[in-house]
Every structure is written in C-alpha cells, then in structure tokens.
Amino acid sequence: MMKSISRWVRYPLILLALALAGCASGLNAQQQQEYAMYKERGQVQVVKDPDSSAILGMLPGGGSWYTGNYGVAALNTALWPLSMLWDPANGYNAATSANYLATRSYLQEQQRKEEARLKTKRATGKLSEPDYAKALKELRAKYTITPMNQILTQPDTKQELASNTRR
C-alpha cells in the first residue's frame, strides 16, 4: 500500500517539476516588436548574451544559472540530462528578456535626462515656449515605440502613404 501511494505522489511531482522547469515564455508579441525596433535603432543594451545562454543550457542548469534564475537552475541541474530539452530555450528567452528590460530602463533614464535638460533650457530662457514644445514632442517621438511610429519613421513608407492618400 505504501509503495503505491508513493508512486501516486512521485509521478505527479515529477510531471509538475518538468512543467515548471519547461516554461520558456520569453517576451510577449508587443515586447518582441519593441525589442526588434530597439535592435533596428541600435539601442539594445546587452546584459546577457542569448546565444551563450542557449549553449550553456546544454550543461546541467547552465542557461538558468547564467541568467540568474537560481531556483529553476537548481531544478534543471537535478533533472539533467532531461533538462537539455528545455533549458537552452529557457536560457535564451531569459537573456533576451533581461536585455529587453535593461534597454527599456536605460532608454527611460535617457529620456528623463533629456527632458530635464530641455526644462532647464526653458527655465533659463535659452529655449522659447514654442521651441520647447516642439523639442519635447520630438524627444518623446524619439523614445516612443509604437506600430504607427515604426511605419512613419521609414522614409519610403511616408512617400507610399502620401501617394496612397492622393489616389
């Protein structure tokens, strides 16, 4: 009787551990679009290399250890060599997520600093109110990633849109 109970407990725990360790969610669709735009603009801040993380994922928990997911890493180490099935993808996604978050944080800080400089110029009279409003609008457009911004910042697309509206 005791042996059958332990089997009923052991297998669901193993399946639960596999399910939790195999969660390779990464970025959602909107974040992937933003990250692609950051890459196009050369703005990505690399804090973890996704390719290295994927390669390290072949070692016991390596991708997770590298990206700082220590709980998952311990589980992946315990489940190695089975964890080689999901840890490279987990590591890659975790590194990409870390880079995305670092990029967002860096760009928000840069925008804050540039807005503070503009406010200082306006307060000291070096920038008129209309010029300040124009510069602020340009600054916010520089740091805003939206599908519309993506379309309108490409010169060929602007010409296509203008020609389509004339027809």
mmCIF file of all heavy atoms in Angstrom, residues 19-29 31-32 69 86 89-94 96-97:
data_model
loop_
_atom_site.group_PDB
_atom_site.id
_atom_site.type_symbol
_atom_site.label_atom_id
_atom_site.label_comp_id
_atom_site.label_asym_id
_atom_site.label_seq_id
_atom_site.Cartn_x
_atom_site.Cartn_y
_atom_site.Cartn_z
ATOM 1 N N ALA A 19 6.966 20.448 -15.910
ATOM 2 C CA ALA A 19 6.139 21.524 -16.458
ATOM 3 C C ALA A 19 6.657 22.886 -16.028
ATOM 4 O O ALA A 19 6.735 23.819 -16.829
ATOM 5 C CB ALA A 19 4.695 21.349 -16.026
ATOM 6 N N LEU A 20 7.018 23.020 -14.759
ATOM 7 C CA LEU A 20 7.519 24.301 -14.263
ATOM 8 C C LEU A 20 8.885 24.637 -14.833
ATOM 9 O O LEU A 20 9.176 25.785 -15.137
ATOM 10 C CB LEU A 20 7.570 24.304 -12.736
ATOM 11 C CG LEU A 20 6.221 24.296 -12.031
ATOM 12 C CD1 LEU A 20 6.419 24.184 -10.523
ATOM 13 C CD2 LEU A 20 5.416 25.533 -12.373
ATOM 14 N N ALA A 21 9.734 23.644 -14.969
ATOM 15 C CA ALA A 21 11.077 23.883 -15.484
ATOM 16 C C ALA A 21 11.054 24.169 -16.973
ATOM 17 O O ALA A 21 11.931 24.832 -17.494
ATOM 18 C CB ALA A 21 11.964 22.680 -15.196
ATOM 19 N N GLY A 22 10.050 23.711 -17.669
ATOM 20 C CA GLY A 22 9.994 23.878 -19.111
ATOM 21 C C GLY A 22 9.269 25.116 -19.574
ATOM 22 O O GLY A 22 8.931 25.233 -20.739
ATOM 23 N N CYS A 23 9.033 26.075 -18.705
ATOM 24 C CA CYS A 23 8.329 27.293 -19.096
ATOM 25 C C CYS A 23 9.297 28.250 -19.778
ATOM 26 O O CYS A 23 10.097 28.889 -19.113
ATOM 27 C CB CYS A 23 7.714 27.987 -17.874
ATOM 28 S SG CYS A 23 6.434 27.009 -17.097
ATOM 29 N N ALA A 24 9.239 28.298 -21.080
ATOM 30 C CA ALA A 24 10.123 29.170 -21.850
ATOM 31 C C ALA A 24 9.287 30.265 -22.501
ATOM 32 O O ALA A 24 9.111 30.294 -23.704
ATOM 33 C CB ALA A 24 10.879 28.358 -22.894
ATOM 34 N N SER A 25 8.742 31.148 -21.686
ATOM 35 C CA SER A 25 7.789 32.119 -22.205
ATOM 36 C C SER A 25 8.455 33.256 -22.964
ATOM 37 O O SER A 25 7.974 33.662 -24.005
ATOM 38 C CB SER A 25 6.932 32.662 -21.068
ATOM 39 O OG SER A 25 7.742 33.273 -20.109
ATOM 40 N N GLY A 26 9.547 33.821 -22.465
ATOM 41 C CA GLY A 26 10.203 34.921 -23.159
ATOM 42 C C GLY A 26 9.344 36.172 -23.197
ATOM 43 O O GLY A 26 8.565 36.436 -22.302
ATOM 44 N N LEU A 27 9.479 36.933 -24.286
ATOM 45 C CA LEU A 27 8.763 38.189 -24.450
ATOM 46 C C LEU A 27 7.410 37.950 -25.114
ATOM 47 O O LEU A 27 7.277 37.059 -25.950
ATOM 48 C CB LEU A 27 9.577 39.132 -25.336
ATOM 49 C CG LEU A 27 10.986 39.478 -24.856
ATOM 50 C CD1 LEU A 27 11.691 40.322 -25.906
ATOM 51 C CD2 LEU A 27 10.948 40.195 -23.527
ATOM 52 N N ASN A 28 6.427 38.786 -24.764
ATOM 53 C CA ASN A 28 5.136 38.687 -25.454
ATOM 54 C C ASN A 28 5.264 39.366 -26.827
ATOM 55 O O ASN A 28 6.304 39.945 -27.156
ATOM 56 C CB ASN A 28 4.006 39.270 -24.604
ATOM 57 C CG ASN A 28 4.120 40.755 -24.389
ATOM 58 O OD1 ASN A 28 4.552 41.505 -25.252
ATOM 59 N ND2 ASN A 28 3.713 41.206 -23.204
ATOM 60 N N ALA A 29 4.213 39.316 -27.627
ATOM 61 C CA ALA A 29 4.267 39.810 -29.005
ATOM 62 C C ALA A 29 4.619 41.302 -29.072
ATOM 63 O O ALA A 29 5.438 41.718 -29.899
ATOM 64 C CB ALA A 29 2.946 39.548 -29.702
ATOM 65 N N GLN A 31 6.241 43.094 -26.811
ATOM 66 C CA GLN A 31 7.622 43.267 -26.381
ATOM 67 C C GLN A 31 8.597 42.824 -27.476
ATOM 68 O O GLN A 31 9.642 43.449 -27.660
ATOM 69 C CB GLN A 31 7.872 42.485 -25.098
ATOM 70 C CG GLN A 31 7.147 43.043 -23.901
ATOM 71 C CD GLN A 31 7.207 42.118 -22.700
ATOM 72 O OE1 GLN A 31 7.315 40.895 -22.832
ATOM 73 N NE2 GLN A 31 7.128 42.701 -21.511
ATOM 74 N N GLN A 32 8.245 41.777 -28.213
ATOM 75 C CA GLN A 32 9.090 41.331 -29.317
ATOM 76 C C GLN A 32 9.188 42.408 -30.396
ATOM 77 O O GLN A 32 10.266 42.645 -30.941
ATOM 78 C CB GLN A 32 8.555 40.036 -29.921
ATOM 79 C CG GLN A 32 8.770 38.833 -29.041
ATOM 80 C CD GLN A 32 8.090 37.578 -29.583
ATOM 81 O OE1 GLN A 32 7.387 37.609 -30.586
ATOM 82 N NE2 GLN A 32 8.308 36.465 -28.900
ATOM 83 N N ASN A 69 18.398 32.742 -12.830
ATOM 84 C CA ASN A 69 17.180 32.067 -12.375
ATOM 85 C C ASN A 69 17.585 30.866 -11.535
ATOM 86 O O ASN A 69 17.530 29.721 -11.992
ATOM 87 C CB ASN A 69 16.321 31.633 -13.571
ATOM 88 C CG ASN A 69 15.834 32.803 -14.374
ATOM 89 O OD1 ASN A 69 15.567 33.857 -13.814
ATOM 90 N ND2 ASN A 69 15.731 32.639 -15.672
ATOM 91 N N TRP A 86 14.774 21.657 -22.567
ATOM 92 C CA TRP A 86 14.136 22.969 -22.438
ATOM 93 C C TRP A 86 15.066 24.069 -21.927
ATOM 94 O O TRP A 86 14.801 25.236 -22.162
ATOM 95 C CB TRP A 86 12.912 22.890 -21.527
ATOM 96 C CG TRP A 86 13.223 22.451 -20.129
ATOM 97 C CD1 TRP A 86 13.739 23.205 -19.118
ATOM 98 C CD2 TRP A 86 13.066 21.142 -19.600
ATOM 99 N NE1 TRP A 86 13.913 22.464 -17.995
ATOM 100 C CE2 TRP A 86 13.502 21.182 -18.259
ATOM 101 C CE3 TRP A 86 12.608 19.942 -20.117
ATOM 102 C CZ2 TRP A 86 13.492 20.060 -17.436
ATOM 103 C CZ3 TRP A 86 12.586 18.835 -19.291
ATOM 104 C CH2 TRP A 86 13.030 18.899 -17.971
ATOM 105 N N ALA A 89 16.347 26.807 -24.462
ATOM 106 C CA ALA A 89 15.302 27.778 -24.823
ATOM 107 C C ALA A 89 14.995 28.702 -23.646
ATOM 108 O O ALA A 89 14.823 29.916 -23.822
ATOM 109 C CB ALA A 89 14.038 27.057 -25.268
ATOM 110 N N ASN A 90 14.929 28.141 -22.430
ATOM 111 C CA ASN A 90 14.692 28.974 -21.241
ATOM 112 C C ASN A 90 15.797 30.007 -21.078
ATOM 113 O O ASN A 90 15.536 31.176 -20.792
ATOM 114 C CB ASN A 90 14.635 28.111 -19.975
ATOM 115 C CG ASN A 90 13.273 27.530 -19.716
ATOM 116 O OD1 ASN A 90 12.326 27.820 -20.412
ATOM 117 N ND2 ASN A 90 13.192 26.690 -18.700
ATOM 118 N N GLY A 91 17.032 29.558 -21.231
ATOM 119 C CA GLY A 91 18.166 30.471 -21.079
ATOM 120 C C GLY A 91 18.153 31.573 -22.122
ATOM 121 O O GLY A 91 18.374 32.742 -21.810
ATOM 122 N N TYR A 92 17.892 31.198 -23.358
ATOM 123 C CA TYR A 92 17.835 32.184 -24.450
ATOM 124 C C TYR A 92 16.751 33.217 -24.172
ATOM 125 O O TYR A 92 16.979 34.421 -24.273
ATOM 126 C CB TYR A 92 17.570 31.477 -25.781
ATOM 127 C CG TYR A 92 17.595 32.407 -26.964
ATOM 128 C CD1 TYR A 92 18.781 32.656 -27.642
ATOM 129 C CD2 TYR A 92 16.450 33.065 -27.390
ATOM 130 C CE1 TYR A 92 18.819 33.523 -28.725
ATOM 131 C CE2 TYR A 92 16.475 33.934 -28.457
ATOM 132 C CZ TYR A 92 17.658 34.155 -29.126
ATOM 133 O OH TYR A 92 17.689 35.025 -30.187
ATOM 134 N N ASN A 93 15.562 32.736 -23.816
ATOM 135 C CA ASN A 93 14.447 33.645 -23.540
ATOM 136 C C ASN A 93 14.716 34.532 -22.326
ATOM 137 O O ASN A 93 14.367 35.710 -22.326
ATOM 138 C CB ASN A 93 13.150 32.865 -23.358
ATOM 139 C CG ASN A 93 12.634 32.310 -24.664
ATOM 140 O OD1 ASN A 93 12.937 32.825 -25.735
ATOM 141 N ND2 ASN A 93 11.866 31.244 -24.592
ATOM 142 N N ALA A 94 15.322 33.964 -21.299
ATOM 143 C CA ALA A 94 15.619 34.752 -20.099
ATOM 144 C C ALA A 94 16.656 35.834 -20.402
ATOM 145 O O ALA A 94 16.535 36.977 -19.922
ATOM 146 C CB ALA A 94 16.107 33.845 -18.975
ATOM 147 N N THR A 96 17.189 37.228 -23.379
ATOM 148 C CA THR A 96 16.508 38.213 -24.219
ATOM 149 C C THR A 96 15.629 39.119 -23.359
ATOM 150 O O THR A 96 15.609 40.343 -23.551
ATOM 151 C CB THR A 96 15.670 37.519 -25.306
ATOM 152 O OG1 THR A 96 16.532 36.686 -26.087
ATOM 153 C CG2 THR A 96 15.000 38.515 -26.216
ATOM 154 N N SER A 97 14.922 38.538 -22.406
ATOM 155 C CA SER A 97 14.078 39.332 -21.505
ATOM 156 C C SER A 97 14.921 40.293 -20.673
ATOM 157 O O SER A 97 14.543 41.451 -20.478
ATOM 158 C CB SER A 97 13.271 38.419 -20.585
ATOM 159 O OG SER A 97 12.348 37.673 -21.319
#
